[in-house]
C-alpha cells in the first residue's frame, strides 16, 4: 500500500487536479477518505487520497487550493504520513483537537470571502458538511457538493467491487431475516417513521443475513436499502446476488434495484411521509435526494441498535470462535518461542504467521483488520502496521506487541497481547502490570443497568493515572458478528459524544484494551473481548457484569506481582486456568506442556 | 411553608383560574416553579405554585385544563407532594424519566389539535419552551407565551423583594470589579460577541462584587445585565443600590436602569450585532425581545465559567470558613451527645440548633439551604426537610442524617454527616462503610487535566455497586463563594448533559456526597467539599487531585473496619488528625477531649 514507483507521481496528479479546479472555477477542493457508505474500510475504487497523495492511512482529509495542498490525519498516523507524503507536494497538517483545529477550521480561517469550495457529496457525510457550513456561516463562501473532479483524472481507477454475496445461515446468525425485518419495522412504528434509510452495509448484512467480499477485512456487500412498511428496496448490483438468495428476497418483498438508483428512488418518496436516517453514515448526496418537506428523524440506525446486542446463538458461536482463535494464538506464541534464535523473525514474517495460523481454523475468512506486529518503539505508535520500509527484525531484547483478529463465519475476534523478548526491565514490568490492572478492573466491573460506557472507562485507567500515566485512545469498542471489527453504537471511552446515550446492555460485545505508549521506547496493550451479561437484581435494580471471552495467556514474565491486589491475582489465575482448560485439548502434547507453564498460578 | 388554613383553599383558586382561562380562550395553562432569573430559590412573589396548590417543593410544573389539574415534580418530593396536594384538586403526576414522560409529553399526548396553550414567558426558559414546541411540532396547537393569569387572581401577592445590595469587599472576593469585567470582555472578544446578556443573579453578584438579600439561602440581588464593549447596563431597582456603590459603578461605566426595562432595552440593540445568552437561564420573554436578525450565540455564561474557578483569596477564605463551620458542627454534635436523653430532641429542634451555632460564627449570614435533619426512614428521602407535621423525635435507636450549610461573607459551605443513635446494626455499618469508601475514593482521585465529572462519578459508587447498591442522584455539584450552594457548570454525575464539556479544573470547588437510601428504614450520606488542585506533570500531561476542605469528624461507631483497604484507613486517620488540629483550638477543654476521641486513629 506504499508509494508505487510505477505510478504517476503525486505532484503531477496534483497539477492536473489544480488545472481541473481552475477549469471548473473552484478555489478549494475537499477530498475525504471515505466511501458512499461512510464505512471504515474502503474498496480500492474509493481510495482517492492514497492514489492522489500516496498516503495509505484510513483517516485523512485533503484540501487543495491554488497555492496549498494539505492532508489532515490524526496523531496515530503522523509518522507514517510524514514518510509517505515526502515529495508528494502535500503538506502534513496536524489537527489540534483541544483547540478544535481541524481541516474545517483551516478552511474557515484561510479561504477568502467570495470563494467557491467544491466536494463530491457522494462520499461526504451530511454530518461533516453541516459542520463546515456552520463554520463558514456568514463568510459568503459557496459550497458545490456535486463536484467529482477525480473520475476524469484517475484513468486507471479500479472498478467498483463485484464480489458475489452469500447466505449467512441461521446456525451462525441465530435469527431469520423475516424476524429481524419484523423487529426493525416494530421499532419504526414505535418512533412513527414510514421509511428507514440504511446506508451502512453492515446494517444490511445483519438484517438480510448475507455477507459479501467487497471490502478488505469486513465481509460486506456494498449496498443501500430503504425499509418501508411492506417492502424493502435493496440497492445492489443484481449480479452479485445468487439466485437462491434472490428467491428468498422475493418472498420477503425485498425488491432489488440497481445500486446507482438509490438517490433517484429516495427522491420519489412522498413528502408527506417520514424517514429515519443516520447523519454520520448518510452522504450529503443521498440526504439531498430526500424530498423537501419530508419529515426526517435522525438517529443511530435501528439495525445498529439491534445488532449490537448479540443473540443466544451468536453468543454461543462467539464462544467457539474464541477457542479457535485462542488455539491459533497459542500455537503462534509457542512457535515463536521454539524458533526464536534459530530462524530470523521480523514484524512482517510474524504477521504472516499469525494470519496463516488463523486461516487454518475452521470457517476463518481472514484477518478482521490489518495485523499489528510492533517491536519496541513501533509499539508506541498505536496503529502501526508493519511494512517493508519499516520492518523490524525481532530481538535481541524488548517488547513485542501483537494486535490481531480474525473474521470467522461464526464471529469476529480482536485481541492484543504484549510479550517480552529477553529479560524485561523493571519499568517495563511496572507499566505492563498497571495496564493489566486496568484490563482486569474493567473486566471485573459490576454496574447497574443504564450505565454508559463513559462511566466505566476510568476503571481501565485508574491504576495508570495513579502513576501519572495515560493512553490517548478509548478503552473499548463494540465488535460485530462476522462483521465490522469496530461496531457501534456502544463504546467505553472518556468521550461522551452523540452516542453517549447508549447504555451497556446484556449481550453487547466490547473490547477492553488499556495501554501505555512510551514514545521511542515501546508500547504495551492488553486487549480482551468482554461480553455483558445480567448479574443479580437487588432492590436498587438490575446489575450487570462482563465475561471475558478472549482466550490467550498473558505473559507472566512481564508481571510485577507486588503491584497486584489479591482479587486481581485471583482473576488472573482463574482466567489462566480457563484458557488452559479450553485451549489445551486442541494442542500437541508439547504445546500443552508449554501452555500449562504459561498459565500456571501466579 | 405548608398549607395555611387561613388561606383561600386551592380548589377555589383553581376554579377562578379556570374561569380566567375560559375568558381568555385558553385550553391549557402552564405554570413553572421558577422566577425571571430561572434560579433555584424564588422570592415569595414568584412562588405561584405554592400559592395555588399548597405544594412547597422547589421543583414543580403545573398544567391546568378544563377537566384536569396536575402537578409534576420529581421523585424526591413524591411523599411531600402527596401530603400537600391532598384535597387541593391537583393530581400528583410522576414523571418517568426513562420513558421521557414529563409534563410536556403529557401535553403532547393529551391536548387536542387546534387547542390554545398559554404560559407566562417571563418565568419560562427558552430552553423549556423549545422542548415543548418540538414535542408539539405538527400538532396545530398554538402557544401564547405572554399570558399572565396569576397577577389578577393573586390579590395578596407578596411584592417583589426590595432588600438593599451591599459591597462584597476585595479581602473576601480577591479580585476587583474592573479586572473581572476586563476578563469577561476578553472572552467576549475571543468568541466574537458584541453583547453578553446575564440573567442569573449570581453571575452579576460575582461580576460586580456585590451581594443582596432578595432570596432565601442565597445572598442575591434580583438583577439582569447586558455587557457591551464599553458599558454595562445593569437592570435593578436603583433604590437597592447604596450611593457609594452607585458611584463605583459610575466609574466603571455601569449604567443602572429599571429592572422592568430589560426586555425593552434588549429590543433596541442593533440587529447587526451579536449576543451571547444562556438558554437554560434566559426567559422566553427576554429571548423574544432580542431583535430579529441579531446573531445569537448560546452557551454557559462567561461569568459562570470564570467564577466556578476560585481565586487564591477565595480559596484562602474558604479554608477559614471551613474551620468556623467545623467548629459549629463539632459543638453541635458534642451538644447532642451531652444532652441526649436528658432533654427532648427532634428533627426541628436540631435544625434550629445547628443553624444557631453557625450564626454564632463570624460573618455568617445564615443557612445556605433548608437544613436537613432526618431520622431513620426520613433519611431515605434525599431532600427531606423537617416540618411540624412530620417532625420525628430523635431516639431511642437509629440513624441520624444531617445535611446543612452556611452562607458566610467569606464562603459557602455544604456538609452531610450521618451518625448512629444507640448501637448500630451490622447492615447499617456495612452500608455506612461502603458509602465512606465512595467518599474517600473520589477524594483520593488523581486524574489528567481534561477529565470531566462524568468520568469520576463511578469512583464514589464502585464499592456500592459491587454490593448491588446505588443512589439515585449525582455525586457532586459545584459550590459558590458566598453565592449559590449549587453552582455550575461543573458537576460529578453519571449524566453527561449539555455541560458535559466542562473539565474539572484546578480551583473548582465541588461536593463529594455518595449515599444510600433504604426505603422506610434509613438514609446514609457522607458529604465533604473538595477542591481541585494541580498535582504532578508527567510526559503524559498535567495531573490533578482533590483536597478535602470540610472539617468534621466521621462517626467511627458506624465503620466496619474490615471493609476498608489500607489506603482508605490511612486517608481517614490523616483526615481525622487534620480535623482535630484545625478545630480543637476553638473548643472548650471538654469539647476538645471529646473530639480527640472522635478523631483518634482507627
Amino acid at each position: 500500500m506504499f508509494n508505487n514507483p510505477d505510478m504517476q507521481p503525486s505532484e503531477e496528479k496534483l497539477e492536473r487536479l489544480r488545472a481541473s479546479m481552475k477549469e471548473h472555477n473552484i478555489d478549494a477542493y475537499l477530498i475525504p477518505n471515505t466511501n458512499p457508505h461512510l464505512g471504515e474500510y474502503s474498496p480500492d475504487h474509493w481510495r482517492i487520497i492514497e492514489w492522489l497523495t500516496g498516503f495509505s492511512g484510513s483517516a485523512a482529509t485533503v484540501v487543495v487550493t491554488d497555492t496549498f495542498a494539505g492532508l489532515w490525519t490524526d496523531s496515530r498516523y503522523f509518522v507514517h504520513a510524514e514518510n509517505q507524503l515526502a515529495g508528494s507536494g502535500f503538506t502534513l497538517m496536524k489537527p489540534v483537537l483541544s483547540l478544535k483545529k481541524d481541516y474545517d477550521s483551516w478552511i474557515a480561517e484561510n479561504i477568502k470571502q467570495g470563494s467557491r469550495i467544491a466536494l463530491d457529496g457522494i462520499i461526504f457525510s451530511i454530518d461533516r458538511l453541516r459542520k463546515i457550513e456552520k463554520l463558514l456561516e456568514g463568510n459568503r463562501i459557496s459550497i458545490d457538493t456535486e463536484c467529482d473532479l477525480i473520475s476524469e483524472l484517475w484513468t486507471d481507477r479500479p472498478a467498483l467491487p463485484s464480489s458475489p454475496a452469500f447466505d449467512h445461515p441461521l446456525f451462525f446468525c441465530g435469527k431469520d431475516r423475516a424476524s429481524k425485518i419484523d423487529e426493525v419495522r416494530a421499532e419504526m412504528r414505535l418512533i412513527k417513521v414510514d421509511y428507514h434509510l440504511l446506508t451502512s452495509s453492515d446494517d444490511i448484512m445483519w438484517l438480510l443475513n448475507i455477507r459479501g467480499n467487497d471490502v478488505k477485512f469486513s465481509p460486506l456487500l456494498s449496498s443501500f436499502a430503504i425499509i418501508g412498511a411492506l417492502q424493502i428496496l435493496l440497492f445492489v448490483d443484481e449480479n452479485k446476488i445468487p439466485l437462491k438468495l434472490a428467491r428468498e428476497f422475493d418472498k420477503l418483498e425485498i425488491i432489488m434495484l440497481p445500486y446507482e438508483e438509490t438517490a433517484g428512488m429516495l427522491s420519489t418518496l412522498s413528502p408527506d411521509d417520514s424517514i429515519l436516517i443516520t447523519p454520520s453514515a448518510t452522504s450529503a448526496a443521498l440526504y439531498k435526494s430526500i424530498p423537501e418537506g419530508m419529515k426526517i428523524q435522525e438517529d443511530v440506525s435501528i439495525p445498529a441498535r439491534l445488532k449490537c446486542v448479540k443473540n443466544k446463538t451468536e453468543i454461543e458461536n462467539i464462544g467457539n470462535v474464541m477457542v479457535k482463535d485462542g488455539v491459533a494464538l497459542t500455537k503462534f506464541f509457542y512457535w515463536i518461542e521454539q524458533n526464536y534464535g534459530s530462524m530470523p523473525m521480523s514484524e512482517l514474517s510474524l504477521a504472516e504467521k499469525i494470519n496463516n495460523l488463523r486461516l487454518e481454523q475452521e470457517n476463518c475468512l481472514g484477518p478482521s483488520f490489518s495485523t499489528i506486529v510492533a517491536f519496541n518503539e513501533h509499539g508506541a505508535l498505536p496503529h502501526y502496521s508493519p511494512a517493508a520500509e519499516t520492518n523490524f527484525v525481532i530481538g535481541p531484547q524488548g517488547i513485542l506487541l501483537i494486535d490481531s483478529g480474525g473474521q470467522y463465519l461464526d464471529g469476529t475476534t480482536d485481541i492484543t497481547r504484549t510479550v517480552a523478548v529477553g529479560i524485561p526491565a523493571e519499568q517495563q514490568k511496572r507499566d505492563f502490570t498497571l495496564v493489566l490492572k486496568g484490563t482486569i478492573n474493567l473486566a471485573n466491573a459490576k454496574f447497574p443497568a443504564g450505565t454508559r460506557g463513559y462511566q466505566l472507562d476510568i476503571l481501565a485507567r485508574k491504576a495508570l493515572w495513579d502513576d501519572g500515566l495515560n493512553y490517548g485512545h478509548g478503552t473499548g469498542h463494540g465488535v460485530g458478528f462476522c462483521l465490522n471489527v469496530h461496531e457501534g453504537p456502544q463504546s467505553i471511552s472518556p468521550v461522551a459524544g452523540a452516542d453517549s446515550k447508549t447504555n451497556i446492555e446484556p449481550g453487547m460485545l466490547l473490547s477492553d484494551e488499556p495501554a501505555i505508549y512510551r514514545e521511542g521506547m515501546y508500547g504495551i496493550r492488553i486487549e480482551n473481548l468482554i461480553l455483558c451479561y445480567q448479574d443479580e437484581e437487588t432492590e436498587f435494580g438490575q446489575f450487570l457484569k462482563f465475561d471475558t471471552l478472549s482466550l490467550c495467556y498473558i505473559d507472566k514474565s512481564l508481571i510485577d506481582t507486588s503491584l497486584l491486589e489479591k482479587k486481581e491475582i485471583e482473576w488472573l489465575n482463574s482466567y489462566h486456568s480457563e484458557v488452559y482448560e479450553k485451549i489445551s485439548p486442541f494442542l500437541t502434547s508439547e504445546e500443552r506442556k508449554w501452555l500449562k507453564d504459561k498459565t500456571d498460578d501466579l
Side-chain angles (χ1 to χ4, degrees), chain A residues 195-447:
Chain A
Y195 297 102
H196 188 0
L197 173 65
L198 301 186
T199 50
S200 298
S201 303
D202 65 328
D203 281 352
I204 299 169
M205 300 302 99
W206 172 84
L207 181 71
L208 302 183
N209 289 343
I210 54 171
R211 297 294 185 268
N213 196 21
D214 285 350
V215 173
K216 218 171 167 178
F217 305 128
S218 282
L220 303 177
L221 180 80
S222 299
S223 48
F224 297 105
I226 302 173
I227 309 178
L230 300 171
Q231 294 184 325
I232 293 179
L233 306 182
L234 175 64
F235 300 90
V236 66
D237 180 350
E238 214 173 357
N239 296 321
K240 293 160 93 172
I241 306 292
L243 191 63
K244 200 170 160 233
L245 259 181
R247 282 193 187 127
E248 293 291 319
F249 288 176
D250 265 359
K251 286 186 220 156
L252 296 169
E253 298 248 32
I254 299 167
I255 319 289
M256 283 188 281
L257 293 167
Y259 182 74
E260 299 72 26
E261 287 184 15
T262 316
M265 270 310 292
L266 256 182
S267 69
T268 66
L269 298 180
S270 159
D272 296 333
D273 286 335
S274 56
I275 188 164
L276 173 65
I277 68 155
T278 305
S280 60
T282 303
S283 69
L286 286 187
Y287 184 83
K288 293 187 177 199
S289 311
I290 299 171
E292 216 175 312
M294 200 166 183
K295 201 173 166 181
I296 301 175
Q297 282 197 39
E298 304 191 347
D299 206 345
V300 173
S301 76
I302 296 171
R305 289 221 181 277
L306 295 175
K307 81 175 183 301
C308 69
V309 174
K310 273 45 180 176
N311 66 42
K312 228 178 121 183
T313 308
E314 287 172 330
I315 289 172
E316 248 180 69
N317 282 324
I318 291 166
N320 296 335
V321 161
M322 288 296 172
V323 174
K324 294 190 279 185
D325 213 58
V327 169
L329 282 160
T330 306
K331 286 178 179 289
F332 171 67
F333 284 114
Y334 174 79
W335 178 87
I336 293 182
E337 283 204 13
Q338 296 312 302
N339 295 288
Y340 178 71
S342 66
M343 62 183 288
M345 289 179 189
S346 71
E347 293 170 336
L348 274 178
S349 76
L350 290 186
E352 201 187 335
K353 180 76 188 172
I354 180 62
N355 291 350
N356 287 338
L357 281 165
R358 271 208 179 82
L359 277 169
E360 284 173 17
Q361 298 295 320
E362 201 186 357
N363 293 330
C364 183
L365 305 174
S368 56
F369 57 95
S370 183
T371 298
I372 295 173
V373 177
F375 189 57
N376 283 347
E377 65 256 43
H378 283 167
L381 310 169
H383 282 72
Y384 172 83
S385 293
E389 289 87 343
T390 59
N391 194 20
F392 269 172
V393 168
I394 309 302
Q397 180 76 31
I399 297 288
L400 178 62
L401 185 157
I402 296 174
D403 186 353
S404 66
Q407 288 292 1
Y408 300 80
L409 287 172
D410 35 1
T412 301
T413 64
D414 182 1
I415 181 168
T416 308
R417 285 296 179 267
T418 305
V419 297
V421 176
I423 309 289
E426 279 315 300
Q427 192 196 38
Q428 293 170 338
K429 288 176 72 172
R430 184 174 184 89
D431 285 348
F432 184 89
T433 310
L434 296 176
V435 171
L436 178 61
K437 283 168 84 82
T439 312
I440 295 174
N441 284 317
L442 176 56
N444 258 339
K446 175 172 171 179
F447 52 93

